[in-house]
Amino acid sequence: MKHFQFLGQFLDNKQVGAVWPSSKYLIHQMIKPIDFSQAKLIIEYGPGTGNITRALLKKMRPDSKLIVFEINTNFMEALHKIEDKRLTIFNCPAEKAALVLAEHHLGAPDYVVSSLPLAIIPNNTVTRILSGSYAILKTGKAMIQFQYSPSTLGRFKRMFDRVEVKFAPINVPPALVYVCWKK
Ligand SMILES: C[S@@+](CC[C@H](N)C(=O)[O-])C[C@H]1O[C@@H](n2cnc3c(N)ncnc32)[C@H](O)[C@@H]1O
């Protein structure tokens, strides 16, 4: 059902940027670089109906926090159905993450996990999202982003200290995963 809600939102709303939620294979590639034994704070951009959110919560420590930023109000109901005290949902753009973390005294995240459709987000907003994410991340930690084309890879390489690229072929469509480290 959630999958069809996702498809409906894609048809109604360009900002969704995908026809179908991420596959379990893509989700596996997205969460594999995370050291869950250490991570106390993870933030997620663009959770949609929450399939990556659930996978993160399954692996996270009981004393950790997950803060998600989603602009589409129609996905709020699905996200609020995830009953987990570690999860906080903000119906606001990823561009505001640094501000929200500061306002709520949440400290620096260990990981930023993003499925934002960067290819359809204006350039200056992408710059703000990437530079803001680099600035808030703890040293030695990473932003993990999937994309359907390599068009934004150069921007990640300029912004971050080291970028690894993984491939998730079993997904609609096949996706690239960038693991972008702050040294
Ligand atoms: C490709 S979908 C990914 C959904 C889900 N995480 C998945 O992997 O199946 C991208 C999501 O990013 C959200 N989004 C787009 N621009 C955003 C922004 N500036 N801030 C927060 N969320 C945004 C869309 O509404 C959509 O839910």
Side-chain angles (χ1 to χ4, degrees), residues 15-16 18 21-22 46-48 51-52 69-71 75 93-95 115-116:
Q15 287 166 319
V16 172
S22 300
N51 54 353
I52 295 178
F69 296 88
E70 172 56 61
I71 46 169
F75 288 143
E95 302 86 284
S115 35
L116 293 177

Side-chain angles (χ1 to χ4, degrees), residues 131-146:
S131 59
S133 301
Y134 184 88
I136 59 177
L137 261 179
K138 276 187 193 157
T139 304
K141 304 295 182 181
M143 174 170 182
I144 305 161
Q145 166 81 54
F146 80 74

Side-chain angles (χ1 to χ4, degrees), residues 6 13 15-23 26-27 44-53 69-72 75 92-95 114-117 120-121 125 129 146 148:
F6 198 91
N13 186 336
Q15 287 166 319
V16 172
V19 283
W20 209 243
S22 300
S23 69
L26 174 54
I27 295 172
E44 186 189 359
Y45 300 155
T49 49
N51 54 353
I52 295 178
T53 315
F69 296 88
E70 172 56 61
I71 46 169
N72 189 326
F75 288 143
C92 88
E95 302 86 284
S114 169
S115 35
L116 293 177
I120 58 168
I121 293 178
T125 308
I129 292 170
F146 80 74
Y148 302 123

Side-chain angles (χ1 to χ4, degrees), residues 7 13 72 81 85 94-96 102 106 108 114 126 130 135 139 144 147 156 161 165:
L7 176 63
N13 186 336
N72 189 326
K81 279 193 181 141
K85 282 195 297 228
E95 302 86 284
K96 297 233 167 106
L106 286 161
S114 169
V126 173
L130 298 196
T139 304
I144 305 161
Q147 289 288 271
F156 279 91
D161 302 310
V165 184

